[in-house]
Amino acid sequence: MSAGWLIVVAAMWGATNPFIKHGSSGIENVKENGKVRQFLMELKFLIFNWKYLVPFLINQGGSVLYYITLASAELSLAVPITNSLTFLFTIISGRFLGDQIHHWETYVGMLLILAGVALCVSDKM
């Protein structure tokens, strides 16, 4: 059952990545004098921007769930499932936000990722 939780973690991480990217757009327009003041104004921009903050908190919730799941999951299964499927969920959620997939190799890679994860999971059962 830990494989199911690892897939949930990958979905939480991957699905939020494009939203974090889109939510942080505009931070490059924050300009202040001094490095510390610049940092604080950028931090303020992110904290008070719900389009960034909500996906960030969901992403961090995925990290907490990953940490909890590692207690009962095999490490040789946890790392490939979460890392590879995070990439897959990032591409899929990015498509919903209008990001384009420009190369057919991306689709082949997605199929190979699914095949690899299926092989990892089936080997451990």
Side-chain angles (χ1 to χ4, degrees), residues 6-36:
L6 293 171
I7 293 169
V8 170
V9 168
M12 290 174 76
W13 282 347
T16 56
N17 285 338
F19 287 96
I20 291 171
K21 178 183 171 186
H22 287 277
S24 66
S25 66
I27 196 167
E28 63 277 357
N29 299 328
V30 176
K31 303 289 183 208
E32 288 293 327
N33 295 329
K35 291 181 181 181
V36 173

PDB file of all heavy atoms in Angstrom, residues 6-36:
ATOM      1  N   LEU A   6       3.081   6.709  -2.259  1.00  0.00           N
ATOM      2  CA  LEU A   6       4.183   7.322  -3.006  1.00  0.00           C
ATOM      3  C   LEU A   6       3.677   7.967  -4.302  1.00  0.00           C
ATOM      4  O   LEU A   6       4.179   9.006  -4.715  1.00  0.00           O
ATOM      5  CB  LEU A   6       5.261   6.282  -3.299  1.00  0.00           C
ATOM      6  CG  LEU A   6       5.997   5.749  -2.071  1.00  0.00           C
ATOM      7  CD1 LEU A   6       6.885   4.571  -2.449  1.00  0.00           C
ATOM      8  CD2 LEU A   6       6.798   6.845  -1.397  1.00  0.00           C
ATOM      9  N   ILE A   7       2.670   7.362  -4.894  1.00  0.00           N
ATOM     10  CA  ILE A   7       2.063   7.954  -6.092  1.00  0.00           C
ATOM     11  C   ILE A   7       1.329   9.242  -5.715  1.00  0.00           C
ATOM     12  O   ILE A   7       1.382  10.237  -6.444  1.00  0.00           O
ATOM     13  CB  ILE A   7       1.132   6.938  -6.782  1.00  0.00           C
ATOM     14  CG1 ILE A   7       1.954   5.782  -7.360  1.00  0.00           C
ATOM     15  CG2 ILE A   7       0.300   7.606  -7.877  1.00  0.00           C
ATOM     16  CD1 ILE A   7       1.138   4.597  -7.833  1.00  0.00           C
ATOM     17  N   VAL A   8       0.667   9.237  -4.562  1.00  0.00           N
ATOM     18  CA  VAL A   8       0.004  10.461  -4.089  1.00  0.00           C
ATOM     19  C   VAL A   8       1.037  11.564  -3.855  1.00  0.00           C
ATOM     20  O   VAL A   8       0.829  12.726  -4.228  1.00  0.00           O
ATOM     21  CB  VAL A   8      -0.814  10.189  -2.804  1.00  0.00           C
ATOM     22  CG1 VAL A   8      -1.304  11.480  -2.177  1.00  0.00           C
ATOM     23  CG2 VAL A   8      -1.974   9.258  -3.107  1.00  0.00           C
ATOM     24  N   VAL A   9       2.177  11.210  -3.270  1.00  0.00           N
ATOM     25  CA  VAL A   9       3.249  12.183  -3.047  1.00  0.00           C
ATOM     26  C   VAL A   9       3.731  12.744  -4.385  1.00  0.00           C
ATOM     27  O   VAL A   9       3.885  13.958  -4.549  1.00  0.00           O
ATOM     28  CB  VAL A   9       4.425  11.546  -2.274  1.00  0.00           C
ATOM     29  CG1 VAL A   9       5.651  12.453  -2.303  1.00  0.00           C
ATOM     30  CG2 VAL A   9       4.022  11.237  -0.847  1.00  0.00           C
ATOM     31  N   ALA A  10       3.965  11.858  -5.351  1.00  0.00           N
ATOM     32  CA  ALA A  10       4.420  12.303  -6.673  1.00  0.00           C
ATOM     33  C   ALA A  10       3.399  13.236  -7.311  1.00  0.00           C
ATOM     34  O   ALA A  10       3.770  14.236  -7.948  1.00  0.00           O
ATOM     35  CB  ALA A  10       4.682  11.100  -7.570  1.00  0.00           C
ATOM     36  N   ALA A  11       2.120  12.937  -7.128  1.00  0.00           N
ATOM     37  CA  ALA A  11       1.069  13.803  -7.672  1.00  0.00           C
ATOM     38  C   ALA A  11       1.072  15.159  -6.970  1.00  0.00           C
ATOM     39  O   ALA A  11       0.920  16.202  -7.621  1.00  0.00           O
ATOM     40  CB  ALA A  11      -0.296  13.130  -7.535  1.00  0.00           C
ATOM     41  N   MET A  12       1.253  15.161  -5.657  1.00  0.00           N
ATOM     42  CA  MET A  12       1.277  16.427  -4.918  1.00  0.00           C
ATOM     43  C   MET A  12       2.474  17.276  -5.338  1.00  0.00           C
ATOM     44  O   MET A  12       2.361  18.487  -5.511  1.00  0.00           O
ATOM     45  CB  MET A  12       1.304  16.165  -3.413  1.00  0.00           C
ATOM     46  CG  MET A  12       0.012  15.605  -2.872  1.00  0.00           C
ATOM     47  SD  MET A  12       0.124  15.131  -1.140  1.00  0.00           S
ATOM     48  CE  MET A  12       0.053  16.736  -0.351  1.00  0.00           C
ATOM     49  N   TRP A  13       3.624  16.639  -5.514  1.00  0.00           N
ATOM     50  CA  TRP A  13       4.818  17.371  -5.915  1.00  0.00           C
ATOM     51  C   TRP A  13       4.702  17.831  -7.368  1.00  0.00           C
ATOM     52  O   TRP A  13       4.926  18.991  -7.680  1.00  0.00           O
ATOM     53  CB  TRP A  13       6.054  16.507  -5.765  1.00  0.00           C
ATOM     54  CG  TRP A  13       6.559  16.356  -4.373  1.00  0.00           C
ATOM     55  CD1 TRP A  13       6.190  17.087  -3.277  1.00  0.00           C
ATOM     56  CD2 TRP A  13       7.523  15.418  -3.920  1.00  0.00           C
ATOM     57  NE1 TRP A  13       6.884  16.649  -2.172  1.00  0.00           N
ATOM     58  CE2 TRP A  13       7.701  15.631  -2.523  1.00  0.00           C
ATOM     59  CE3 TRP A  13       8.253  14.408  -4.522  1.00  0.00           C
ATOM     60  CZ2 TRP A  13       8.596  14.881  -1.768  1.00  0.00           C
ATOM     61  CZ3 TRP A  13       9.145  13.663  -3.777  1.00  0.00           C
ATOM     62  CH2 TRP A  13       9.306  13.901  -2.400  1.00  0.00           C
ATOM     63  N   GLY A  14       4.381  16.893  -8.240  1.00  0.00           N
ATOM     64  CA  GLY A  14       4.381  17.201  -9.667  1.00  0.00           C
ATOM     65  C   GLY A  14       3.274  18.146 -10.095  1.00  0.00           C
ATOM     66  O   GLY A  14       3.496  19.057 -10.892  1.00  0.00           O
ATOM     67  N   ALA A  15       2.091  17.958  -9.550  1.00  0.00           N
ATOM     68  CA  ALA A  15       0.959  18.797  -9.955  1.00  0.00           C
ATOM     69  C   ALA A  15       1.123  20.232  -9.480  1.00  0.00           C
ATOM     70  O   ALA A  15       0.586  21.150 -10.100  1.00  0.00           O
ATOM     71  CB  ALA A  15      -0.348  18.210  -9.429  1.00  0.00           C
ATOM     72  N   THR A  16       1.873  20.436  -8.411  1.00  0.00           N
ATOM     73  CA  THR A  16       2.029  21.798  -7.900  1.00  0.00           C
ATOM     74  C   THR A  16       3.186  22.553  -8.546  1.00  0.00           C
ATOM     75  O   THR A  16       3.203  23.785  -8.507  1.00  0.00           O
ATOM     76  CB  THR A  16       2.225  21.791  -6.380  1.00  0.00           C
ATOM     77  OG1 THR A  16       3.341  20.963  -6.044  1.00  0.00           O
ATOM     78  CG2 THR A  16       0.980  21.295  -5.670  1.00  0.00           C
ATOM     79  N   ASN A  17       4.147  21.860  -9.138  1.00  0.00           N
ATOM     80  CA  ASN A  17       5.314  22.540  -9.712  1.00  0.00           C
ATOM     81  C   ASN A  17       4.951  23.620 -10.734  1.00  0.00           C
ATOM     82  O   ASN A  17       5.435  24.749 -10.625  1.00  0.00           O
ATOM     83  CB  ASN A  17       6.288  21.526 -10.327  1.00  0.00           C
ATOM     84  CG  ASN A  17       7.064  20.772  -9.284  1.00  0.00           C
ATOM     85  OD1 ASN A  17       7.214  21.216  -8.154  1.00  0.00           O
ATOM     86  ND2 ASN A  17       7.571  19.606  -9.654  1.00  0.00           N
ATOM     87  N   PRO A  18       4.111  23.332 -11.735  1.00  0.00           N
ATOM     88  CA  PRO A  18       3.758  24.397 -12.687  1.00  0.00           C
ATOM     89  C   PRO A  18       2.969  25.535 -12.045  1.00  0.00           C
ATOM     90  O   PRO A  18       3.113  26.691 -12.441  1.00  0.00           O
ATOM     91  CB  PRO A  18       2.905  23.682 -13.743  1.00  0.00           C
ATOM     92  CG  PRO A  18       3.238  22.249 -13.614  1.00  0.00           C
ATOM     93  CD  PRO A  18       3.584  22.039 -12.170  1.00  0.00           C
ATOM     94  N   PHE A  19       2.147  25.208 -11.047  1.00  0.00           N
ATOM     95  CA  PHE A  19       1.385  26.264 -10.364  1.00  0.00           C
ATOM     96  C   PHE A  19       2.314  27.177  -9.560  1.00  0.00           C
ATOM     97  O   PHE A  19       2.103  28.385  -9.499  1.00  0.00           O
ATOM     98  CB  PHE A  19       0.311  25.653  -9.456  1.00  0.00           C
ATOM     99  CG  PHE A  19      -0.848  25.085 -10.210  1.00  0.00           C
ATOM    100  CD1 PHE A  19      -0.905  23.735 -10.514  1.00  0.00           C
ATOM    101  CD2 PHE A  19      -1.884  25.897 -10.626  1.00  0.00           C
ATOM    102  CE1 PHE A  19      -1.971  23.203 -11.218  1.00  0.00           C
ATOM    103  CE2 PHE A  19      -2.961  25.384 -11.333  1.00  0.00           C
ATOM    104  CZ  PHE A  19      -3.005  24.034 -11.628  1.00  0.00           C
ATOM    105  N   ILE A  20       3.342  26.601  -8.952  1.00  0.00           N
ATOM    106  CA  ILE A  20       4.333  27.404  -8.235  1.00  0.00           C
ATOM    107  C   ILE A  20       5.071  28.306  -9.213  1.00  0.00           C
ATOM    108  O   ILE A  20       5.296  29.495  -8.944  1.00  0.00           O
ATOM    109  CB  ILE A  20       5.310  26.501  -7.452  1.00  0.00           C
ATOM    110  CG1 ILE A  20       4.578  25.828  -6.279  1.00  0.00           C
ATOM    111  CG2 ILE A  20       6.513  27.284  -6.962  1.00  0.00           C
ATOM    112  CD1 ILE A  20       5.386  24.754  -5.573  1.00  0.00           C
ATOM    113  N   LYS A  21       5.430  27.744 -10.351  1.00  0.00           N
ATOM    114  CA  LYS A  21       6.131  28.528 -11.378  1.00  0.00           C
ATOM    115  C   LYS A  21       5.265  29.696 -11.858  1.00  0.00           C
ATOM    116  O   LYS A  21       5.723  30.838 -11.919  1.00  0.00           O
ATOM    117  CB  LYS A  21       6.493  27.625 -12.555  1.00  0.00           C
ATOM    118  CG  LYS A  21       7.172  28.342 -13.691  1.00  0.00           C
ATOM    119  CD  LYS A  21       7.429  27.394 -14.837  1.00  0.00           C
ATOM    120  CE  LYS A  21       7.919  28.139 -16.069  1.00  0.00           C
ATOM    121  NZ  LYS A  21       8.032  27.260 -17.225  1.00  0.00           N
ATOM    122  N   HIS A  22       4.022  29.417 -12.187  1.00  0.00           N
ATOM    123  CA  HIS A  22       3.118  30.469 -12.660  1.00  0.00           C
ATOM    124  C   HIS A  22       2.773  31.461 -11.542  1.00  0.00           C
ATOM    125  O   HIS A  22       2.621  32.656 -11.795  1.00  0.00           O
ATOM    126  CB  HIS A  22       1.845  29.872 -13.259  1.00  0.00           C
ATOM    127  CG  HIS A  22       2.056  29.241 -14.593  1.00  0.00           C
ATOM    128  ND1 HIS A  22       2.077  29.967 -15.755  1.00  0.00           N
ATOM    129  CD2 HIS A  22       2.271  27.947 -14.948  1.00  0.00           C
ATOM    130  CE1 HIS A  22       2.293  29.151 -16.780  1.00  0.00           C
ATOM    131  NE2 HIS A  22       2.420  27.917 -16.307  1.00  0.00           N
ATOM    132  N   GLY A  23       2.637  30.966 -10.334  1.00  0.00           N
ATOM    133  CA  GLY A  23       2.292  31.829  -9.212  1.00  0.00           C
ATOM    134  C   GLY A  23       3.410  32.776  -8.818  1.00  0.00           C
ATOM    135  O   GLY A  23       3.165  33.839  -8.252  1.00  0.00           O
ATOM    136  N   SER A  24       4.642  32.394  -9.112  1.00  0.00           N
ATOM    137  CA  SER A  24       5.771  33.260  -8.750  1.00  0.00           C
ATOM    138  C   SER A  24       6.122  34.257  -9.847  1.00  0.00           C
ATOM    139  O   SER A  24       7.016  35.082  -9.656  1.00  0.00           O
ATOM    140  CB  SER A  24       6.999  32.412  -8.411  1.00  0.00           C
ATOM    141  OG  SER A  24       7.447  31.723  -9.558  1.00  0.00           O
ATOM    142  N   SER A  25       5.422  34.199 -10.970  1.00  0.00           N
ATOM    143  CA  SER A  25       5.719  35.171 -12.030  1.00  0.00           C
ATOM    144  C   SER A  25       5.384  36.575 -11.539  1.00  0.00           C
ATOM    145  O   SER A  25       4.386  36.795 -10.857  1.00  0.00           O
ATOM    146  CB  SER A  25       4.935  34.846 -13.303  1.00  0.00           C
ATOM    147  OG  SER A  25       3.558  35.005 -13.091  1.00  0.00           O
ATOM    148  N   GLY A  26       6.234  37.493 -11.833  1.00  0.00           N
ATOM    149  CA  GLY A  26       6.105  38.861 -11.364  1.00  0.00           C
ATOM    150  C   GLY A  26       7.106  39.196 -10.287  1.00  0.00           C
ATOM    151  O   GLY A  26       7.323  40.374  -9.980  1.00  0.00           O
ATOM    152  N   ILE A  27       7.740  38.185  -9.710  1.00  0.00           N
ATOM    153  CA  ILE A  27       8.728  38.451  -8.660  1.00  0.00           C
ATOM    154  C   ILE A  27       9.940  39.187  -9.228  1.00  0.00           C
ATOM    155  O   ILE A  27      10.603  39.940  -8.518  1.00  0.00           O
ATOM    156  CB  ILE A  27       9.151  37.154  -7.938  1.00  0.00           C
ATOM    157  CG1 ILE A  27       9.860  37.498  -6.634  1.00  0.00           C
ATOM    158  CG2 ILE A  27      10.015  36.279  -8.839  1.00  0.00           C
ATOM    159  CD1 ILE A  27      10.042  36.340  -5.704  1.00  0.00           C
ATOM    160  N   GLU A  28      10.188  39.007 -10.522  1.00  0.00           N
ATOM    161  CA  GLU A  28      11.316  39.695 -11.142  1.00  0.00           C
ATOM    162  C   GLU A  28      11.091  41.208 -11.225  1.00  0.00           C
ATOM    163  O   GLU A  28      12.029  41.977 -11.431  1.00  0.00           O
ATOM    164  CB  GLU A  28      11.604  39.128 -12.545  1.00  0.00           C
ATOM    165  CG  GLU A  28      10.481  39.311 -13.535  1.00  0.00           C
ATOM    166  CD  GLU A  28       9.381  38.245 -13.452  1.00  0.00           C
ATOM    167  OE1 GLU A  28       9.498  37.302 -12.650  1.00  0.00           O
ATOM    168  OE2 GLU A  28       8.403  38.384 -14.194  1.00  0.00           O
ATOM    169  N   ASN A  29       9.865  41.654 -11.034  1.00  0.00           N
ATOM    170  CA  ASN A  29       9.551  43.086 -11.066  1.00  0.00           C
ATOM    171  C   ASN A  29       9.720  43.760  -9.708  1.00  0.00           C
ATOM    172  O   ASN A  29       9.597  44.978  -9.612  1.00  0.00           O
ATOM    173  CB  ASN A  29       8.119  43.310 -11.562  1.00  0.00           C
ATOM    174  CG  ASN A  29       7.938  42.787 -12.977  1.00  0.00           C
ATOM    175  OD1 ASN A  29       8.858  42.814 -13.781  1.00  0.00           O
ATOM    176  ND2 ASN A  29       6.756  42.299 -13.264  1.00  0.00           N
ATOM    177  N   VAL A  30       9.977  42.972  -8.670  1.00  0.00           N
ATOM    178  CA  VAL A  30      10.190  43.534  -7.333  1.00  0.00           C
ATOM    179  C   VAL A  30      11.613  44.082  -7.285  1.00  0.00           C
ATOM    180  O   VAL A  30      12.579  43.335  -7.436  1.00  0.00           O
ATOM    181  CB  VAL A  30       9.987  42.456  -6.237  1.00  0.00           C
ATOM    182  CG1 VAL A  30      10.310  43.014  -4.870  1.00  0.00           C
ATOM    183  CG2 VAL A  30       8.584  41.900  -6.295  1.00  0.00           C
ATOM    184  N   LYS A  31      11.734  45.374  -7.111  1.00  0.00           N
ATOM    185  CA  LYS A  31      13.049  46.034  -7.085  1.00  0.00           C
ATOM    186  C   LYS A  31      13.166  46.890  -5.828  1.00  0.00           C
ATOM    187  O   LYS A  31      12.316  47.742  -5.560  1.00  0.00           O
ATOM    188  CB  LYS A  31      13.244  46.938  -8.317  1.00  0.00           C
ATOM    189  CG  LYS A  31      13.105  46.232  -9.650  1.00  0.00           C
ATOM    190  CD  LYS A  31      14.265  45.324  -9.909  1.00  0.00           C
ATOM    191  CE  LYS A  31      14.120  44.704 -11.298  1.00  0.00           C
ATOM    192  NZ  LYS A  31      14.723  43.450 -11.432  1.00  0.00           N
ATOM    193  N   GLU A  32      14.204  46.649  -5.059  1.00  0.00           N
ATOM    194  CA  GLU A  32      14.484  47.415  -3.847  1.00  0.00           C
ATOM    195  C   GLU A  32      15.985  47.665  -3.761  1.00  0.00           C
ATOM    196  O   GLU A  32      16.785  46.947  -4.355  1.00  0.00           O
ATOM    197  CB  GLU A  32      14.026  46.649  -2.604  1.00  0.00           C
ATOM    198  CG  GLU A  32      12.538  46.576  -2.433  1.00  0.00           C
ATOM    199  CD  GLU A  32      11.891  47.907  -2.144  1.00  0.00           C
ATOM    200  OE1 GLU A  32      12.521  48.765  -1.485  1.00  0.00           O
ATOM    201  OE2 GLU A  32      10.740  48.091  -2.575  1.00  0.00           O
ATOM    202  N   ASN A  33      16.366  48.674  -2.993  1.00  0.00           N
ATOM    203  CA  ASN A  33      17.776  48.973  -2.760  1.00  0.00           C
ATOM    204  C   ASN A  33      18.294  48.107  -1.621  1.00  0.00           C
ATOM    205  O   ASN A  33      17.659  48.018  -0.573  1.00  0.00           O
ATOM    206  CB  ASN A  33      17.966  50.450  -2.413  1.00  0.00           C
ATOM    207  CG  ASN A  33      17.602  51.346  -3.585  1.00  0.00           C
ATOM    208  OD1 ASN A  33      17.753  50.955  -4.733  1.00  0.00           O
ATOM    209  ND2 ASN A  33      17.101  52.531  -3.280  1.00  0.00           N
ATOM    210  N   GLY A  34      19.408  47.465  -1.824  1.00  0.00           N
ATOM    211  CA  GLY A  34      20.018  46.633  -0.792  1.00  0.00           C
ATOM    212  C   GLY A  34      19.564  45.185  -0.912  1.00  0.00           C
ATOM    213  O   GLY A  34      18.416  44.901  -1.227  1.00  0.00           O
ATOM    214  N   LYS A  35      20.490  44.282  -0.649  1.00  0.00           N
ATOM    215  CA  LYS A  35      20.207  42.847  -0.791  1.00  0.00           C
ATOM    216  C   LYS A  35      19.203  42.346   0.242  1.00  0.00           C
ATOM    217  O   LYS A  35      18.323  41.558  -0.083  1.00  0.00           O
ATOM    218  CB  LYS A  35      21.508  42.051  -0.691  1.00  0.00           C
ATOM    219  CG  LYS A  35      22.424  42.257  -1.865  1.00  0.00           C
ATOM    220  CD  LYS A  35      23.677  41.435  -1.726  1.00  0.00           C
ATOM    221  CE  LYS A  35      24.590  41.694  -2.914  1.00  0.00           C
ATOM    222  NZ  LYS A  35      25.807  40.902  -2.842  1.00  0.00           N
ATOM    223  N   VAL A  36      19.327  42.787   1.462  1.00  0.00           N
ATOM    224  CA  VAL A  36      18.420  42.323   2.517  1.00  0.00           C
ATOM    225  C   VAL A  36      17.006  42.825   2.250  1.00  0.00           C
ATOM    226  O   VAL A  36      16.032  42.068   2.338  1.00  0.00           O
ATOM    227  CB  VAL A  36      18.916  42.775   3.909  1.00  0.00           C
ATOM    228  CG1 VAL A  36      17.899  42.440   4.985  1.00  0.00           C
ATOM    229  CG2 VAL A  36      20.254  42.129   4.223  1.00  0.00           C
TER     230      VAL A  36
END
